[in-house]
Every structure is written in C-alpha cells, then in structure tokens.
Amino acid sequence: IGDKKQIEKCRKFQKDLCQKLSSENLKKEDLFNHHQPLPKSIAVIIPGNSYYDYKGISLQSLGIKYNAKYESLVSLLSEAHLFTSIRYKFGAYGAGSWISDNGLYLYSYRDPHVKNTYQIFDSSSKALKDKNISVKNLEGYITSIYSDLAREDSTSSLMSIKISSHLAGDYENNKTLRYMKEIKSTEEKDIDDFIMMLEKLEKEGVKVTVGA
C-alpha cells in the first residue's frame, strides 16, 4: 500500500525478514487458554508519582456480544462522569471508558490518585441513574459516532484495515454498515442494560494499576 518507491522499500524489508525466518512449520498455539487466570488485582511498580488505572470485565462475563448501540453510552459516561470528575476535580491527564469485542473498560492515565479514581469508577452506574438519561440525551453522541462511521476512508486506508482484519481473523463484509445500523437502533432499554453492565463491572471487574 503506497507509492511505488514505498512499496519497493517494504518489499526489501519483507525479503530480508523472510531470509532470516526458519523454514520449519510452526504449530499454531492457543496462547489465551494456556496462561494462568489473572488475579483480581494487579499492581506494577514504576518510578514516579502518576498512575495508570483500569477496571474491566469481559463481555463473556456480562453475557453479551459487542453491539455498537453501547458506544453512545460509553461516550456519555466518559464525558459526563469519568473525565469530568477524574480530570477536572482530581487532576489526572485523562480518563474515560471504552467497549470492544473483548470487554467493557474504565481507565485513567497520568493520574496522581488511585483511591479517588476507583471510587469514581465504582460510582459510574449511580451517576448514570441519577442523570435519568433518555435516548434524546444520546442523540448528539449517536450522530457523532454515526458520522465517524460514515466518513469515507482513502483506498489505501481501507485496504490496510482489510489486511489487518484478515490477519487477525476478524474480517467481516459490510461491518461498518452493521455498526451504523446498530448505533441507530439504540433504545431506552439499552440504557438500563448498560447500567446493569456497569453494576456488574463495579462488583466483579478486574483492577489494574501501574504506578509508583
């Protein structure tokens, strides 16, 4: 992908790499089923006085599959609760949440606090309940996400995404179109479901802190 000069340069690196690789056939390993389960809490010690805090739970534990209709709620949670509290009140560089095929996560980074951050993480479901959110409140977020999905990518960008998806075993025809339909299908019930997901995350999620 790219101009002729860039392609030739990449081919040279590819050829050099192939010459260094063994011709031996390697057996495919399922790495994720061979490691020990993660503990409920993990701490990684590094010099300094800022922290990187995460709390997450797998979608399998929540009993759901990824659906783009939750993206607007994740955006609202990030903007109206996590970033507002952790960044503006307690001085972290950033904070927010995201959802993917793997799970639902809350995070902060370059954060001078740990205790306050986890208390804010664990107040997420209550914060959304107190806001009495309706689908009307989500319209701006839905429009923003829908617009991003509808934005036309360059040919090289689309090809790069397809190659990466194929290599990861995650390729799906018309995936973006499916996401666009899902985000437009958001209903009031999805808000209640999302709050229940947060309650389970708060109770059962794995915590990871990297810091001093």
Side-chain angles (χ1 to χ4, degrees):
I1 300 169
D3 59 34
K4 188 173 180 180
K5 186 177 178 182
Q6 188 67 25
I7 289 170
E8 289 304 317
K9 184 179 177 182
C10 289
R11 280 181 176 155
K12 179 183 180 300
F13 287 127
Q14 177 186 318
K15 187 176 179 181
D16 292 344
L17 174 63
C18 288
Q19 286 175 346
K20 291 175 184 175
L21 293 174
S22 166
S23 60
E24 178 188 353
N25 287 326
L26 299 178
K27 187 176 72 172
K28 188 174 180 180
E29 297 284 352
D30 186 357
L31 300 177
F32 292 99
N33 287 328
H34 283 78
H35 69 67
Q36 293 295 318
L38 289 172
K40 292 296 286 186
S41 300
I42 301 169
V44 180
I45 310 303
I46 60 171
N49 60 355
S50 66
Y51 300 87
Y52 300 77
D53 299 322
Y54 299 85
K55 192 161 187 178
I57 190 167
S58 70
L59 295 195
Q60 186 179 8
S61 297
L62 293 171
I64 66 164
K65 288 185 177 181
Y66 174 82
N67 191 303
K69 65 187 178 182
Y70 296 119
E71 292 286 357
S72 59
L73 286 152
V74 164
S75 295
L76 183 141
L77 175 65
S78 297
E79 186 178 292
H81 176 60
L82 298 172
F83 192 85
T84 307
S85 302
I86 296 171
R87 162 74 170 167
Y88 293 149
K89 290 183 181 177
F90 295 107
Y93 197 82
S97 61
W98 86 90
I99 190 168
S100 71
D101 288 328
N102 295 320
L104 175 62
Y105 306 92
L106 314 178
Y107 68 90
S108 72
Y109 60 97
R110 289 179 65 180
D111 189 347
H113 301 285
V114 175
K115 185 177 179 181
N116 285 336
T117 294
Y118 282 111
Q119 287 174 343
I120 292 166
F121 284 170
D122 289 341
S123 66
S124 297
S125 60
K126 184 179 184 302
L128 291 194
K129 278 182 186 175
D130 290 347
K131 291 183 185 300
N132 293 316
I133 302 162
S134 66
V135 172
K136 188 171 178 60
N137 301 132
L138 297 173
E139 283 178 359
Y141 297 97
I142 291 170
T143 302
S144 175
I145 296 163
Y146 190 90
S147 299
D148 284 341
L149 289 168
R151 188 179 61 233
E152 194 169 332
D153 288 312
S154 66
T155 304
S156 60
S157 176
L158 285 171
M159 186 62 71
S160 178
I161 292 166
K162 283 187 177 182
I163 291 170
S164 300
S165 298
H166 272 294
L167 291 172
D170 186 37
Y171 183 72
E172 174 191 331
N173 275 319
N174 299 317
K175 192 175 192 177
T176 300
L177 183 60
R178 175 168 67 84
Y179 284 173
M180 290 168 77
K181 288 179 179 176
E182 288 175 354
I183 188 66
K184 292 284 277 186
S185 73
T186 309
E187 300 175 350
E188 302 289 337
K189 180 182 177 298
D190 299 322
I191 299 168
D192 294 333
D193 289 345
F194 186 71
I195 289 171
M196 287 172 64
M197 288 159 60
L198 287 173
E199 288 173 342
K200 191 159 187 179
L201 183 154
E202 291 160 9
K203 187 177 179 182
E204 300 177 15
V206 173
K207 293 188 289 185
V208 179
T209 294
V210 178

